[in-house]
């Protein structure tokens, strides 16, 4: 899809997306108890993480140079990205496995809509919203009480870094979706995504120097949570965010290419 | 390519790489490092031309290449070689305009959201195909009436019977009034009554809107009830393209003769005429060579003891069976 087609098609795709999300909400409401339990469990999970940090800082003043309030901001940003992944991307990654194995992907591919768009965003998991909202409350609380001081430049770099972060997560997700089409089995792929986030749970500063360099220059783990958190709390060099932006664009294009190749080589089940 | 043809394929081929695996653990281990595969030609040089508004049966045994052809025509998979033109489009380019004009119904795969009532899936399709609210209402009312699904729309898809689900699937697939409809075994798994209802609906729909329909089915009742023209393929090769009647005449070497006598004539032996199918008292059914049918009937009447005599064509299943065997 070129830019002109994209701009023409965007309003229709946006309407379709809203309809899909409404449907996801209706679906979640079909299982109301599960929905409420999910939100509750998420909020508890978030709180346990918070208590963990509380324990760490009861015996140490800083972790790898990160003060308590900075670390809390880091945690809020990690949970924002982590929960957004679980709200938007993960349910679609799971559904992809089902679509490929059952052959229902055939019917999706015959719709006049961007298949990448449809398969990436059509499902939402609302019961994962507990973590998302509690992390926003924590971030706003830290800012409102003056425990993190955010300058205009830092805020600007933060949003730039956040864009890079989402781009990397989405690229990785798209790679996995493409692999699912090729190998027609996805269970381990979803676990790979989980391992990927394990690396992002703590600032890259806790790793040895050479691992840190690797995570900034080649494998963009640092850009998922550490750089956005640093941008917001202590500030980062604009060149770091520019490098992240460059890498993000490269990763997005590579993932898109890989996806298109996978769709072109799709052989469908049976027949 | 002719303008009145909706579907044209020329020398269409599709080859698949199929992984081979021998039995046992060691073979599995070996397969990880040295995978074995071979190439299977699913469709081989298929030439086909279907006129706008035609309803054509696409027949063949399992593995003949029917579904692969439908998948190529609907843009799901690329052909290995050859050309396809459907409504002037090359399906594998997946042009939105093209996809907006076709619909694929697969009896074993579903469009409906499992946990939601069909009306929710229909609402999504309204957005996907950019159908105005008023038009959506009108089309939905029409389809609901034709398919008799008024009671199914607000029940979760997973709680519907197979027949109800299939009819809802058809409503979803036809909501955007496709010009081309690919039906891959739409009656599979349905009971006889439901098969009849689906067939009646398809006939009615085709008569009213005249879409071009390509139908595959293993149920000969579907073929006989719905289509005049059939294309038969076997092992990826087209072996017949013509009317159903001509297929019967061309391939049927035998007729079925059923005769009931007042009393069996002395010295009568059904084996003298052909292959005995059954005998119940004075009633015999035999398969006789087509060219001897008239003469045999005349000879039997001349005995003066015939109560009833009928000559029928052999069932289409047998005809196709003979075609595939040859």
């Amino acid at each position: 899809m070129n830019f002109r087609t994209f701009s023409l098609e965007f309003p229709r795709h946006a309407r379709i997306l809203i309809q899909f999300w409404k449907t996801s909400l209706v679906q979640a409401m079909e299982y109301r108890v599960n929905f409420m339990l999910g939100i509750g469990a998420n909020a508890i999970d978030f709180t346990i993480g918070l208590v963990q940090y509380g324990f760490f800082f009861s015996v140490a003043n800083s972790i790898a140079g990160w003060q308590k309030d900075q670390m809390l901001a880091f945690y809020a940003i990690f949970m924002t990205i982590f929960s957004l992944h679980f709200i938007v991307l993960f349910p679609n990654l799971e559904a992809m496995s089902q679509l490929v194995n059952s052959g229902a992907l055939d019917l999706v591919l015959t719709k006049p809509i961007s298949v990448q768009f449809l398969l990436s965003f059509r499902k939402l998991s609302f019961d994962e919203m507990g973590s998302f909202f509690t992390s926003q409350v924590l971030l706003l609380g830290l800012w409102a009480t003056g425990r993190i001081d955010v300058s205009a430049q830092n805020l600007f770099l933060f949003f730039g870094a956040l864009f890079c972060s989402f781009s990397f997560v989405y690229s990785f997700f798209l790679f996995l979706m493409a692999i699912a089409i090729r190998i027609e089995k996805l269970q381990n792929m979803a676990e790979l995504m989980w391992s990927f986030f394990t690396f992002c749970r703590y600032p890259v500063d806790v790793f040895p120097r050479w691992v840190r360099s690797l995570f900034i220059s080649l494998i963009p783990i640092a850009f998922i949570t550490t750089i956005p958190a640093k941008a917001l709390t202590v500030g980062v060099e604009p060149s770091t965010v520019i490098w992240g932006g460059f890498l993000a664009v490269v990763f997005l294009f590579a993932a898109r290419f890989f996806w298109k190749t996978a769709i072109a080589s799709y052989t469908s089940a049976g027949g | 390519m002719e303008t009145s043809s909706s579907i044209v394929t020329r020398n269409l081929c599709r080859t698949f790489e199929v992984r081979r695996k021998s039995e046992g653990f060691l073979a599995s281990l070996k397969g990880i490092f040295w995978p074995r595969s071979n190439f299977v030609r699913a469709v081989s040089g298929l030439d086909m031309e279907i006129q706008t508004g035609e309803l054509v049966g696409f027949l063949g045994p399992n593995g003949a290449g029917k579904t692969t052809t439908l998948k190529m025509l609907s843009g799901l998979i690329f052909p290995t070689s050859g050309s396809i033109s459907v409504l002037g489009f090359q399906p594998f380019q997946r042009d939105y305009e093209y996809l907006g004009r076709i619909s694929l119904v697969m009896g074993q795969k579903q469009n409906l959201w499992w946990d939601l009532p069909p009306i929710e899936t229909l609402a999504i399709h309204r957005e996907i195909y950019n159908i105005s609210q008023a038009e959506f209402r009108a089309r939905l009312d029409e389809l609901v009436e034709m398919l008799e699904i008024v009671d199914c729309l607000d029940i979760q898809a997973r709680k519907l019977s197979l027949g109800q689900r299939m009819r809802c699937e058809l409503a979803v697939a036809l909501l955007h009034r496709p010009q081309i409809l690919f039906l891959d075994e739409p009656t599979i798994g349905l009971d006889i009554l439901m098969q009849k209802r689906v067939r009646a609906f398809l006939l009615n729909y085709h008569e009213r809107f005249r879409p071009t329909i390509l139908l595959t089915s293993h149920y000969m009742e579907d073929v006989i009830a719905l289509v005049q023209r059939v294309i038969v393929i076997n092992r990826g090769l087209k072996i017949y393209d013509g009317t159903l009647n001509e297929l019967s005449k061309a391939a049927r070497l035998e007729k079925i003769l059923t005769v009931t006598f007042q009393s069996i004539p002395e010295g009568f032996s059904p084996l003298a005429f052909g292959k005995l199918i059954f005998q119940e008292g004075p009633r015999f059914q035999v398969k006789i060579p087509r060219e001897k049918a008239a003469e045999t009937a005349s000879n039997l009447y001349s005995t003066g003891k015939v109560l009833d005599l009928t000559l029928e064509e052999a069932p289409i299943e047998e005809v196709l069976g003979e075609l595939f065997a040859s």
Side-chain angles (χ1 to χ4, degrees), chain B residues 177-188:
Chain B
R177 292 258 170 87
Q179 287 171 261
I180 307 274
L181 185 55
F182 299 112
L183 295 172
D184 191 18
E185 312 219 26
T187 56
I188 196 162

Side-chain angles (χ1 to χ4, degrees), chain B residues 15-293:
Chain B
T15 306
F16 289 106
E17 187 179 1
V18 180
R19 282 274 163 91
R20 300 278 169 194
K21 193 189 92 61
S22 306
E23 191 193 343
F25 173 72
L26 281 176
S28 297
L29 203 63
K30 196 177 159 194
I32 294 173
F33 299 102
W34 296 282
R36 281 190 306 124
S37 60
N38 63 341
F39 290 91
V40 174
R41 187 165 261 211
V43 177
S44 191
L46 182 68
D47 288 332
M48 183 165 78
E49 200 162 326
I50 296 171
Q51 306 301 308
T52 304
E54 257 193 301
L55 201 167
V56 177
F58 195 44
L59 310 178
N62 287 330
K66 305 183 297 290
T67 305
T68 301
T69 306
L70 285 196
K71 284 175 181 172
M72 285 192 281
L73 292 173
S74 54
L76 277 175
I77 55 175
F78 284 72
T80 310
S81 63
S83 70
I84 313 178
S85 167
V86 185
L87 297 171
F89 293 91
Q90 290 182 309
F92 48 85
Q93 289 181 342
R94 293 205 182 107
D95 193 294
Y96 288 173
E97 204 188 326
Y98 171 67
L99 296 175
R101 292 204 220 167
I102 65 156
S103 202
L104 172 67
V105 177
M106 301 173 112
Q108 289 171 313
K109 293 170 188 175
Q110 64 170 33
N111 254 315
L112 295 170
W113 278 43
W114 193 239
D115 290 321
L116 294 176
I119 192 70
E120 299 289 349
T121 307
L122 285 158
I124 286 174
H125 278 72
R126 181 183 86 76
E127 293 293 357
I128 290 178
Y129 292 99
N130 220 1
I131 302 166
S132 72
Q133 193 61 256
E135 188 64 26
F136 172 69
R137 225 351 93 197
R139 289 184 192 182
L140 185 62
D141 288 347
E142 196 167 35
L143 287 167
V144 164
E145 191 200 322
M146 289 172 82
L147 286 158
E148 301 170 61
I149 50 170
V150 69
D151 296 331
C152 314
L153 291 180
D154 54 356
I155 299 172
Q156 280 180 319
R158 64 191 170 88
K159 289 179 182 163
L160 296 173
S161 72
L162 189 59
Q164 289 173 319
R165 265 210 309 276
M166 191 62 225
R167 283 180 289 147
C168 291
E169 282 287 342
L170 283 168
V172 170
L174 299 172
L175 186 68
H176 61 288
R177 292 258 170 87
Q179 287 171 261
I180 307 274
L181 185 55
F182 299 112
L183 295 172
D184 191 18
E185 312 219 26
T187 56
I188 196 162
L190 303 182
D191 63 45
I192 293 171
L193 215 68
M194 198 50 68
Q195 284 179 29
K196 275 189 178 172
R197 283 174 82 174
V198 170
R199 265 179 233 133
F201 164 76
L202 289 173
L203 267 183
N204 188 4
Y205 185 85
H206 183 252
E207 208 170 291
R208 209 187 279 195
F209 301 107
R210 306 303 295 175
T212 308
I213 300 180
L214 191 58
L215 164 90
T216 80
S217 179
H218 282 291
Y219 295 130
M220 286 310 141
E221 291 87 347
D222 288 352
V223 179
I224 293 163
L226 295 173
V227 309
Q228 272 92 50
R229 179 183 164 199
V230 289
I231 295 171
V232 184
I233 65 167
N234 193 20
R235 292 178 188 164
L237 287 164
K238 185 168 82 177
I239 54 175
Y240 178 81
D241 183 353
T243 66
L244 201 55
N245 285 339
E246 281 165 2
L247 173 68
S248 313
K249 285 175 194 158
R252 280 177 199 161
L253 304 171
E254 292 168 317
K255 282 200 154 201
I256 309 283
L257 181 141
T258 312
V259 61
T260 311
F261 296 106
Q262 285 166 329
S263 59
I264 300 170
E266 206 171 307
F268 171 78
S269 164
L271 296 173
F273 301 103
K275 283 176 264 179
L276 178 70
I277 300 172
F278 74 82
Q279 179 190 356
E280 279 172 7
R283 190 160 177 256
F284 296 85
Q285 192 168 65
V286 283
K287 246 185 200 175
I288 57 172
R290 171 178 285 276
E291 65 279 8
K292 289 190 178 167

Side-chain angles (χ1 to χ4, degrees), chain A residues 47-68:
Chain A
T47 314
I48 290 172
L50 214 54
V51 171
Q52 253 181 352
Y53 282 110
F55 285 143
F56 289 159
F57 283 101
S58 67
V59 292
N61 292 326
S62 69
I63 298 172
W66 288 71
Q67 304 296 315
K68 186 179 178 184

Side-chain angles (χ1 to χ4, degrees), chain A residues 137-186:
Chain A
V137 169
L138 174 62
L139 210 52
L140 281 172
L142 288 169
W143 174 72
T145 53
R147 292 166 74 180
I148 52 168
D149 187 20
V150 185
S151 69
Q153 188 191 334
N154 283 3
L155 201 63
F156 180 72
L157 290 171
F158 167 68
F159 282 116
L162 211 54
F163 165 76
C164 300
S165 173
F166 289 140
S167 303
F168 287 126
V169 173
Y170 182 71
S171 304
F172 191 52
F173 160 82
L174 198 58
F175 269 120
L176 294 182
M177 296 272 276
I179 290 171
I181 290 176
R182 282 173 178 271
I183 65 172
E184 298 174 9
K185 191 97 179 165
L186 194 75

Side-chain angles (χ1 to χ4, degrees), chain A residues 48-120:
Chain A
I48 290 172
L50 214 54
V51 171
Q52 253 181 352
Y53 282 110
F55 285 143
F56 289 159
F57 283 101
S58 67
V59 292
N61 292 326
S62 69
I63 298 172
W66 288 71
Q67 304 296 315
K68 186 179 178 184
D69 292 338
Q70 292 167 354
M71 201 64 185
L72 288 177
F74 172 90
Y75 179 62
I77 290 164
F78 167 74
M79 286 308 280
T80 301
I81 293 157
F82 188 66
S83 58
L84 275 178
H85 159 256
F86 271 98
I87 292 166
V88 186
L89 302 181
F90 191 75
N92 290 291
L93 195 61
E94 267 190 330
M96 187 68 179
S97 162
Q98 177 73 14
L99 282 175
V100 174
N101 291 334
S102 69
L105 182 61
D106 291 2
L107 297 172
V108 176
L109 290 172
T110 56
K111 304 279 181 278
I113 182 174
S114 159
V115 178
Q116 181 188 330
F117 170 85
L118 184 69
L119 296 176
S120 298

Side-chain angles (χ1 to χ4, degrees), chain B residues 296-317:
Chain B
T296 307
S298 162
N299 288 344
L300 287 172
Y301 273 122
S302 68
T303 62
K305 293 189 174 172
V306 172
L307 196 66
D308 184 43
L309 187 147
T310 57
L311 269 170
E312 293 166 301
E313 298 287 356
I316 189 82
E317 293 93 323

